[in-house]
Amino acid sequence: MRSPVLPLTWHLARSSGRRGLQSQLLAAGAAAVGAFVLLVMIAACAGSGTRADRTAWRSPEPARHGTAVQALATTYVRHEPVTVVSLAQLPGRPPTPAPPGLAAFPRQGEMYVSPALAKLLDRLPARQLADRFPRVREYGTIGAAGLASPGELVAVVGRDPADPALSEAAADSASWFDEDQAARAVVAGFSSGKVSLFTAPDRTMALLGVVLLGMPVVVLAAAAGRLGAARREQRLAALRLAGATPRQILAMTALEAAAVGAAGALTGALAYLALLPVLARVPYGIGSWYTAELWVGLPWLAAVVAAVTVLITVSAVSMLRQVATSPLGVAQQADPRRTRWIRAAVFVAAMACVFRSTGGGELKPRQLLGLLVLFYGAFWLFGPWVVDRLGRIVGRFARRPATLLAARRLSDDPRGAWRTVSGLVLAGFAAGFFSVSQIGADAAQYRDQVAVITESGAQARHTAAEARAALARSGVTATVTVAREDEFGNLLAGSPGLIVRISGGSGGTERLDTAVTALTPLARVHAPYTRDYATAYERASIDRIGEVSTATLALSFLVATASAGLTAAANVLDRRRVYGLLRLAGTPLRVLDRARARETVLPLVVLAGGTTAMGVYGSYQLNKAVGATIDATGALQLAACVVVGALAMVAAIGAGRPLLRRVTADPARTTD
């Protein structure tokens, strides 16, 4: 006998009317947003790995039977890193294969540059950048295979094996700050497994963003599955009372939710495909992306669509437990949803475990991931309890009807209110902490300084006179000091050499770049460097964390805005009978609208705003303890993100006002 589930599901979906269609469209929209955000974050992880692999060839890998000498150096212009790879073919050795992105191994006197560096060389005066490199008639171009980003600044210089830039002295007299920025070795090819300093943390930080956004996306999918839950419960409870089995009820719900979820997830996947060129322009780390780097592939695309569909289906089915077991209770709308003190106890125990584990030394990545999941899980349990207590406290001290109604809704359904803001609560602390952090990378004492390493103190005294003359010819006013070899509180960090302090005039960045260029011919051992070089290792990780935290907060606002808008619309549709009764009792429409808005705004301000403020305060205290300051740029970005996100949330909630007006236009009919 043919099962009646499929035709009955189709019939009920078609006959659900305009309000049913609205719920289905809203659920599909939620699925589309969730799938789009997941694909973007997965693309960032995959693309970061590809970018890192494309930079590995620059770090020289020593070979027993080497055929060429390779040296890695880093200089800075406009505070941006310029990676310089010097190569020389050893005489009498087999030819060395070409580096990735180059048509051939560079001969002596040849120079290849990335497209972005070529544009910069043309735009800037030669005394600020071009004079740091050998003079050539024309530059070759480094292809995408050798670059991590279209905006990356990379130069490959062909030199003589006896060139000072390739000497062993350059490697032996390295600066304290050279880690992953300078190296030298005899190589046989370019298959090194050590990625560039400027791309190494990208994938780990992008994975952190995926973890931070995972919960908001789950919340959004759960909200989509619960759209129209009250109407669905009433309808299916009637079918259950009429003789439908629990299995048939669950099958009908699963089919409807899966169809809506799959349609929405596919729409989100198509939006991701259409916006790939736009997404590639978003800078991260070293710069923007190549479009191919952000393509996740068909398997991941299908997996995300399936995952979002399953989440929405499971969420919809889980709401029907009471329908299957007690349809009469649903029909009477008996649904107590109180929270218990055990949630607070579990939260305290979990936080104690996290703090105890993080205070015992360095942890492995798997341990950190496990603690992060525990942290999230504890907050997920604790959040509804806080919302419940917040609703009771606000209800006790409420002086306006709208606030009282909102407080009653919070205490009646704390889990639903928590789901709307949970993503922002969990992402807010990380964004607030890392976006303003300056730990370990302030180095304000190195500002407007250039360090020049020499082979000995005697050579430093001789080079000082040449440095003063070179700076004078370049029009740079500076003080040149010979540093003591036992002095470690400066840019030389104990190495013999000169400290050049730039002073006077405007355009500090231009003067600093001009000074570095003027001093380059005098640096026979090590290229001149500035504060950017000294803080690069720490900033590489700190900047990525700040970028990912701010991006995560922005995307969390996007997901939370969609979730808030969907929840607001669904609540209007599901509570139309309650709203109708309140309207018949004489409650003004504006009071209902204010209560509906405050139902979301109250937990948003208290919980999400509170955790973000806690993150900023924690970062401030930690910065203060180590003598650093708050990152003003990060603070401004965080403030702008919070303001724009809050306005978007309010707009999403306000979008349900016309729907509220329509469902309460005829309150006597609505309550039937």
Side-chain angles (χ1 to χ4, degrees):
M1 181 178 179
R2 184 181 177 183
S3 173
V5 172
L6 184 59
L8 184 57
T9 302
W10 174 246
H11 173 73
L12 291 176
R14 290 180 58 190
S15 60
S16 59
R18 186 174 61 182
R19 294 194 179 111
L21 179 61
Q22 289 172 340
S23 297
Q24 293 167 358
L25 291 177
L26 289 172
V33 172
F36 177 79
V37 171
L38 277 181
L39 286 170
V40 168
M41 295 308 299
I42 293 173
C45 283
S48 297
T50 303
R51 294 170 77 168
D53 293 340
R54 288 183 175 179
T55 63
W57 66 273
R58 304 169 195 171
S59 300
E61 184 74 20
R64 180 176 299 180
H65 304 290
T67 59
V69 182
Q70 178 182 356
L72 170 68
T74 307
T75 186
Y76 285 79
V77 60
R78 301 290 179 89
H79 303 295
E80 294 294 328
V82 181
T83 302
V84 182
V85 180
S86 297
L87 295 171
Q89 175 71 38
L90 291 175
R93 305 289 179 90
T96 307
L102 273 68
F105 189 91
R107 297 192 298 268
Q108 180 181 349
E110 291 183 339
M111 181 173 169
Y112 292 80
V113 297
S114 62
L117 181 57
K119 293 179 181 178
L120 199 60
L121 288 168
D122 290 337
R123 188 169 74 249
L124 294 181
R127 61 190 178 90
Q128 291 185 19
L129 179 59
D131 288 346
R132 303 182 196 182
F133 304 104
R135 293 186 179 275
V136 296
R137 292 183 178 179
E138 62 177 334
Y139 302 113
T141 302
I142 302 175
L147 300 174
S149 165
E152 194 178 17
L153 306 178
V154 182
V156 179
V157 183
R159 301 183 186 270
D160 184 89
D163 192 291
L166 295 171
S167 65
E168 294 185 8
D172 295 338
S173 303
S175 164
W176 174 266
F177 308 107
D178 278 348
E179 187 171 2
D180 295 335
Q181 295 191 89
R184 184 259 186 200
V186 178
V187 301
F190 304 95
S191 58
S192 172
K194 189 174 184 179
V195 301
S196 169
L197 164 68
F198 306 107
T199 59
D202 289 2
R203 187 170 187 176
T204 302
M205 296 302 104
L207 183 60
L208 173 65
V210 172
V211 174
L212 290 173
L213 276 172
M215 191 61 70
V217 171
V218 171
V219 170
L220 180 61
R226 288 171 169 82
L227 281 171
R231 289 187 76 251
R232 188 186 300 128
E233 284 181 348
Q234 293 290 328
R235 183 181 64 190
L236 296 180
L239 291 174
R240 181 78 174 89
L241 291 172
T245 65
R247 181 177 297 179
Q248 290 174 330
I249 294 295
L250 295 177
M252 291 169 60
T253 303
L255 283 173
E256 181 181 354
V260 173
L266 284 172
T267 302
L270 292 176
Y272 155 76
L273 289 173
L275 292 175
L276 268 179
V278 178
L279 295 173
R281 298 179 183 178
V282 178
Y284 173 59
I286 201 67
S288 57
W289 308 77
Y290 290 104
T291 304
E293 292 174 345
L294 294 180
W295 167 236
V296 298
L298 287 176
W300 272 112
L301 199 73
V304 168
V305 171
V308 172
T309 303
V310 169
L311 281 173
I312 291 178
T313 304
V314 171
S315 175
V317 171
S318 65
M319 292 293 293
L320 299 181
R321 179 178 57 185
Q322 192 175 1
V323 175
T325 58
S326 180
L328 188 58
V330 171
Q332 295 175 346
Q333 295 186 348
D335 187 19
R337 297 180 181 180
R338 294 294 183 182
T339 57
R340 301 180 181 180
W341 282 92
I342 187 64
R343 292 175 177 266
V346 171
F347 175 78
V348 172
M351 290 299 100
C353 178
V354 170
F355 287 128
R356 186 172 61 251
S357 300
T358 54
E362 187 175 353
L363 298 175
K364 296 180 179 179
R366 290 185 179 180
Q367 293 173 318
L368 288 173
L369 184 60
L371 289 176
L372 187 61
V373 172
L374 178 62
F375 180 80
Y376 266 34
F379 257 107
W380 187 255
L381 284 174
F382 187 56
W385 184 85
V386 175
V387 173
D388 191 359
R389 269 59 191 177
L390 175 64
R392 297 184 189 185
I393 293 172
V394 173
R396 183 176 301 174
F397 297 99
R399 293 295 180 268
R400 296 181 179 277
T403 306
L404 179 61
L405 287 173
R408 287 298 304 270
R409 287 303 309 169
L410 290 177
S411 59
D412 286 346
D413 187 14
R415 297 176 184 85
W418 163 251
R419 284 191 294 268
T420 304
V421 301
S422 59
L424 289 175
V425 171
L426 298 174
F429 181 84
F433 183 87
F434 290 115
S435 61
V436 299
S437 179
Q438 284 272 43
I439 299 173
D442 186 24
Q445 68 272 25
Y446 301 150
R447 184 178 180 182
D448 294 332
Q449 293 185 19
V450 182
V452 181
I453 295 179
T454 58
E455 294 180 354
S456 63
Q459 186 187 13
R461 288 187 290 273
H462 175 71
T463 307
E466 297 179 343
R468 294 186 183 97
L471 291 169
R473 288 193 300 270
S474 299
V476 177
T477 303
T479 302
V480 181
T481 306
V482 178
R484 300 193 310 269
E485 294 188 30
D486 60 348
E487 185 180 358
F488 292 90
N490 55 35
L491 270 178
L492 290 170
S495 299
L498 311 174
I499 294 293
V500 178
R501 293 177 173 85
I502 313 300
S503 60
S506 59
T509 301
E510 290 77 6
R511 287 185 286 110
L512 197 64
D513 291 338
T514 302
V516 171
T517 305
L519 295 170
T520 297
L522 308 179
R524 302 175 180 85
V525 175
H526 191 286
Y529 59 90
T530 62
R531 178 177 64 169
D532 296 319
Y533 191 92
T535 59
Y537 188 82
E538 295 168 329
R539 286 250 61 100
S541 297
I542 294 174
D543 287 348
R544 298 304 182 276
I545 293 175
E547 290 174 0
V548 168
S549 298
T550 304
T552 299
L553 186 62
L555 288 175
S556 294
F557 265 118
L558 171 64
V559 175
T561 299
S563 180
L566 292 169
T567 303
N571 287 341
V572 170
L573 295 174
D574 291 343
R575 300 174 193 168
R576 63 188 182 279
R577 184 172 182 273
V578 176
Y579 286 137
L581 291 173
L582 289 172
R583 291 286 285 124
L584 285 175
T587 307
L589 182 63
R590 65 176 181 276
V591 173
L592 297 179
D593 187 52
R594 290 172 182 173
R596 186 179 59 87
R598 291 173 189 178
E599 183 182 338
T600 301
V601 172
L602 282 174
L604 177 66
V605 172
V606 173
L607 296 176
T611 54
T612 303
M614 286 172 55
V616 173
Y617 180 75
S619 178
Y620 169 75
Q621 291 296 331
L622 195 55
N623 288 347
K624 184 178 178 181
V626 300
T629 58
I630 288 291
D631 184 357
T633 302
L636 290 175
Q637 291 176 348
L638 176 64
C641 181
V642 169
V643 171
V644 173
L647 292 176
M649 289 281 289
V650 173
I653 298 170
R657 189 176 299 114
L659 183 61
L660 176 64
R661 186 179 296 108
R662 284 200 302 269
V663 299
T664 58
D666 188 0
R669 180 179 179 183
T670 302
T671 57
D672 290 340

